[in-house]
Amino acid sequence: MPLLRNNVMSQRIAIVGAGPAGLMAAEVLSQQQYEVHVYEQKPSAARKFLMAGKTGLNISHAEALEQFIQRYDQPEWLAPWIQRWDALWIQQWMQGLRIEPYIGSSGRVFPTEMKAAPLLRAWLKRLTEHGIQFHYRHQILDLKNHQLQIHDLKNDCAFTENFDAIVLACGAVSWSRLGSDGQWQSWLNLDEIEPFQASNAGVEYPWSKFMQPVFGQPLKRVEAWVEHADKAMGDIVISHYGLESGLIYKQGRGLREQVKRGKPMQLYLDLFPDQTSAQLAQKLQPGKKQSLTNIWRKAGLEGAKAAIVRELVPKHLWQDAEQLAQQIKNLAIPLTGFRPIEEAISCAGGVKAEALSESLQLKSNPQLFLCGEMLDWDAPTGGYLLTACMATGRAAGEGVATYLSRS
């Protein structure tokens, strides 16, 4: 039954998903006289948020806003919301929860304690005090217009509920064990959804058995790029399946574009970006009575870097210093694909911008609003993912309030 507030029947809102986007929508709606129900199929809230914070919760990034927005693959679409709820706003919001922010040397924003759990506890406490009703272990089976079919997993019973508006904050399809299983896709029209692809994920290459000794070792301070894209510098870890690291994640958008254009995935590395090809060639010149291994070692080409050169550069070029230097400065790696989407940190794809209004209202169902990672946008790691989830959650909450005020 709807609640009575000041002798007025409250409008009922359902939020499906208790991650950062859903919680932000709830926070916006908690400021008004609505009856807000948050449904979460897991036993507790924000499990992916907590998992991301195990090694330090990187919640945003303090770089210049114009540059920040360009990190997204849909910058024009997200810009109005990111501009309102940017890294500075997030830091002030954290302080409102008595969680002090900390900006690392790389510009990444963290809680001073680094952990996600204290922030989440404070956030949930405030939402509960403001009247938000949480229903854990409640799975949504179906959605029809403004009606939800709900399965109470704890008591193993199903029931239906009607709402004046519904916010979907269900996540994408990676890390399904934490709740983002993508079942919500069956509730929408297929033409409203861009198919999901792995993002911020490792890439695959079929190494020979001779690479096994360097599995898990890093290629330190290398430059990586894909064709027609900017170069970036950092470290890359050689794994049993291929390559992994934040530097690899940054190339994901360009690699997906190659696939979209029907081209093979190809990554390029410069193993010595601080040296010119001529400088490197000079160091690689054959010397009398020196083994190839010793020459390479003196040039800095050893360990993982030497192994990947032996793997990818034709053997007949190893003794030709000029050609070898050119190969090392422009090392082409023909990749075979991304790691499975289940392993990805995030996903590209989701509900298309053209299927939604400027207030994130689904055009085919005006009582339905969407936010977070289920939308068709993507970004690298570094605080960008969480910032956009929180910003779109607030935008959806405001959209619901505007819609209901006109109803």
Side-chain angles (χ1 to χ4, degrees):
M1 289 288 294
L3 296 178
L4 282 172
R5 295 178 186 263
N6 301 323
N7 294 320
V8 177
M9 197 75 77
S10 294
Q11 291 170 302
R12 305 182 77 230
I13 303 165
I15 298 173
V16 183
L23 296 181
M24 273 299 180
E27 183 165 286
V28 170
L29 295 167
S30 72
Q31 305 304 310
Q32 302 190 47
Q33 297 297 305
Y34 298 124
E35 180 186 334
V36 181
H37 297 263
V38 178
Y39 293 96
E40 169 58 52
Q41 64 180 337
K42 293 299 180 180
S44 58
R47 292 201 161 195
K48 188 176 179 182
F49 179 78
L50 289 172
M51 177 66 76
K54 275 196 169 182
T55 55
L57 180 65
N58 179 198
I59 198 166
S60 193
H61 199 293
E63 69 183 340
L65 184 57
E66 183 176 339
Q67 185 177 349
F68 187 105
I69 291 170
Q70 291 306 313
R71 302 295 186 188
Y72 296 93
D73 64 349
Q74 299 272 22
E76 295 82 9
W77 186 31
L78 295 176
W81 305 314
I82 301 295
Q83 287 167 348
R84 289 184 63 189
W85 301 296
D86 61 1
L88 180 60
W89 181 91
I90 288 174
Q91 292 173 71
Q92 294 169 342
W93 169 80
M94 290 168 67
Q95 290 172 328
L97 290 170
R98 298 186 178 180
I99 302 293
E100 285 300 316
Y102 163 75
I103 301 176
S105 58
S106 65
R108 297 186 179 203
V109 179
F110 303 88
T112 300
E113 294 183 36
M114 299 299 286
K115 298 178 181 178
L119 187 153
L120 181 60
R121 283 196 298 268
W123 195 3
L124 293 173
K125 181 175 183 290
R126 185 167 72 182
L127 290 173
T128 302
E129 289 172 349
H130 288 178
I132 303 299
Q133 300 178 56
F134 288 90
H135 307 275
Y136 298 113
R137 299 195 66 191
H138 279 65
Q139 181 184 31
I140 306 306
L141 301 177
D142 201 6
L143 182 157
K144 298 292 185 185
N145 296 322
H146 61 285
Q147 185 180 80
L148 292 177
Q149 184 181 355
I150 304 166
H151 183 199
D152 179 343
L153 297 171
K154 184 177 181 180
N155 298 305
D156 193 23
C157 62
F159 58 96
T160 58
E161 291 278 356
N162 293 315
F163 297 92
D164 297 288
I166 298 170
V167 178
L168 295 185
C170 306
V173 296
S174 63
W175 293 77
S176 62
R177 63 188 176 87
L178 301 179
S180 301
D181 57 18
Q183 294 301 311
W184 56 267
Q185 294 177 83
S186 64
W187 309 336
L188 307 183
N189 300 320
L190 286 179
D191 60 4
E192 295 173 322
I193 304 170
E194 182 70 23
F196 283 110
Q197 301 175 64
S199 178
N200 293 306
V203 291
E204 297 181 334
Y205 181 86
W207 303 120
S208 71
K209 64 180 181 179
F210 299 105
M211 287 291 287
Q212 291 180 7
V214 297
F215 287 168
Q217 293 185 22
L219 297 167
K220 301 288 288 184
R221 193 170 173 76
V222 299
E223 208 165 47
W225 70 96
V226 298
E227 191 177 17
H228 307 307
D230 294 335
K231 296 181 178 181
M233 189 178 293
D235 299 345
I236 296 174
V237 175
I238 298 176
S239 71
H240 68 280
Y241 58 75
L243 301 169
E244 173 84 35
S245 76
L247 183 57
I248 291 296
Y249 302 161
K250 289 179 181 179
Q251 313 311 316
R253 191 182 308 171
L255 292 171
R256 288 194 301 273
E257 281 298 316
Q258 290 180 345
V259 174
K260 195 173 182 179
R261 297 197 305 267
K263 294 186 175 182
M265 287 174 62
Q266 182 133 303
L267 178 73
Y268 294 92
L269 299 182
D270 181 348
L271 300 182
F272 292 96
D274 297 325
Q275 300 180 48
T276 66
S277 183
Q279 289 171 332
L280 186 58
Q282 181 64 36
K283 294 179 181 180
L284 292 169
Q285 289 293 337
K288 292 182 179 180
K289 298 181 179 179
Q290 288 193 73
S291 69
L292 185 66
T293 300
N294 197 40
I295 294 169
W296 284 16
R297 180 184 59 78
K298 288 182 177 180
L301 187 60
E302 56 185 338
K305 287 187 178 181
I308 200 170
V309 168
R310 289 179 182 273
E311 179 79 2
L312 297 171
V313 177
K315 192 171 183 178
H316 70 272
L317 298 180
W318 294 0
Q319 300 283 354
D320 187 320
E322 285 75 19
Q323 290 201 53
L324 179 59
Q326 291 174 15
Q327 290 283 327
I328 291 171
K329 297 282 292 178
N330 196 54
L331 192 63
I333 308 179
L335 302 170
T336 57
F338 289 100
R339 290 299 286 168
I341 200 166
E342 176 62 28
E343 297 179 17
I345 292 175
S346 62
C347 302
V351 180
K352 300 174 183 177
E354 55 265 32
L356 301 163
S357 74
E358 293 181 357
S359 59
L360 293 177
Q361 184 178 37
L362 191 66
K363 292 177 180 178
S364 63
N365 181 357
Q367 291 168 305
L368 192 61
F369 295 76
L370 293 83
C371 57
E373 287 190 292
M374 62 189 301
L375 304 183
D376 182 21
W377 59 267
D378 185 37
T381 56
Y384 308 102
L385 296 166
L386 272 174
T387 299
C389 284
M390 297 167 86
T392 57
R394 294 193 72 85
E398 288 191 352
V400 169
T402 299
Y403 167 72
L404 293 180
S405 69
R406 295 171 179 169
S407 299

